[in-house]
Amino acid sequence: MEKKTYYIAVASGEILEPEDMNGNFEFEILASEEEIDQLQELFEESADAQDDTAARAMIPYRNYHNDKENDAADYYLREIYRKLHDLGTPATKEHIESMNILQ
């Protein structure tokens, strides 16, 4: 499978190709179309989980550490970073490792 360069902005869930570069990005990866589809699916699942945490935030007596919605949001964010680490350039891998998010 042919891999191409993509630029990723995690907070906004953007996956940009070099010709579309007009914004900020945090990570550079090399990925096939299938791998980009997998990453896009993770971003969509993460967005859904984040929406669930916003609804849950209206319940003031639930603690974060006993909250399945926050657990789901955390899970998808870690999976996004895991995928970015797998596909990343050496600089991307090094940056993600320095974040200690994959442990």
Side-chain angles (χ1 to χ4, degrees), residues 45-59:
E45 293 289 342
S46 180
D48 289 345
Q50 293 293 331
D51 289 345
D52 290 344
T53 64
R56 197 262 348 131
M58 301 301 177
I59 305 169

Side-chain angles (χ1 to χ4, degrees), residues 9 17 26 29 31 33 35 37 41 51 74 84 99 103:
E17 295 187 48
E26 293 110 16
I29 64 170
E33 291 270 335
E35 290 164 330
D37 290 344
E41 187 174 323
D51 289 345
D74 291 347
L84 293 175
M99 296 170 64
Q103 300 173 7

Side-chain angles (χ1 to χ4, degrees), residues 24-80:
N24 294 328
F25 68 93
E26 293 110 16
F27 301 105
E28 181 179 352
I29 64 170
L30 295 170
S32 67
E33 291 270 335
E34 182 179 330
E35 290 164 330
I36 288 300
D37 290 344
Q38 293 167 356
L39 182 59
Q40 183 62 45
E41 187 174 323
L42 286 171
F43 275 125
E44 289 169 9
E45 293 289 342
S46 180
D48 289 345
Q50 293 293 331
D51 289 345
D52 290 344
T53 64
R56 197 262 348 131
M58 301 301 177
I59 305 169
Y61 56 86
R62 281 180 64 188
N63 294 325
Y64 180 89
H65 61 281
N66 290 326
D67 192 328
K68 67 179 174 142
E69 290 87 358
N70 283 332
D71 291 344
D74 291 347
Y75 169 80
Y76 285 111
L77 188 58
R78 271 192 311 278
E79 289 303 303
I80 287 168

